[in-house]
Amino acid sequence: QVQLVESGGGLVQPGGSLRLSCAASGTIFSINVMGWYRQAPGKQRELVATITSGGTTKYAESVKGRFTISRDSTKNTVYLQMNSLKPEDTAVYYCYAEIVRDKFRANVAYAYWGQGTQVTVSS
């Protein structure tokens, strides 16, 4: 079993900052990719940012220059530092990970999702 547990969401004023964390636990051999997606009411879930095991990052255009993704591989944890938050950043943020569970099947990775954490940007 694998679990992704998120923390750090909440209510913040426009221009403020929040830091999200997501820790993976369970039967884990390695983690190829970790990242964050978000879903606003009435909209589809969209990619926010991802980071590979090698440190390569990818960001949605809407968050470039404001959000920073990082990971601590020793703790199987990914972070999302969100600065200069805007009302349009309001959404439920979901942690995502592609995890290899069996070292003898290292080419097989499974996708896992966290339960989501609410981020609300409002004055």
Side-chain angles (χ1 to χ4, degrees):
Q1 295 282 21
V2 171
Q3 278 191 316
L4 301 182
V5 179
E6 301 126 331
S7 60
L11 172 65
V12 64
Q13 292 186 340
S17 298
L18 280 176
R19 188 190 194 212
L20 305 182
S21 300
C22 171
S25 63
T27 304
I28 298 171
F29 172 66
S30 64
I31 303 178
N32 293 341
V33 178
M34 297 190 83
W36 295 92
Y37 286 70
R38 67 186 181 186
Q39 187 166 19
K43 294 188 177 181
Q44 289 189 331
R45 190 173 297 189
E46 63 176 3
L47 179 145
V48 177
T50 60
I51 184 168
T52 69
S53 57
T56 300
T57 58
K58 179 179 179 180
Y59 294 92
E61 286 295 325
S62 60
V63 307
K64 280 183 179 178
R66 301 188 297 121
F67 292 10
T68 302
I69 190 169
S70 60
R71 66 189 281 179
D72 184 339
S73 296
T74 64
K75 297 180 180 179
N76 290 333
T77 299
V78 65
Y79 306 95
L80 185 68
Q81 178 65 44
M82 304 185 293
N83 298 329
S84 302
L85 282 160
K86 304 175 181 179
E88 50 263 44
D89 295 317
T90 295
V92 177
Y93 284 69
Y94 295 92
C95 180
Y96 169 82
E98 293 178 8
I99 295 175
V100 176
R101 299 180 59 186
D102 185 345
K103 64 179 180 180
F104 297 110
R105 301 180 66 195
N107 61 329
V108 178
Y110 298 92
Y112 293 90
W113 293 90
Q115 79 285 356
T117 185
Q118 178 69 47
V119 171
T120 302
V121 184
S122 175
S123 55

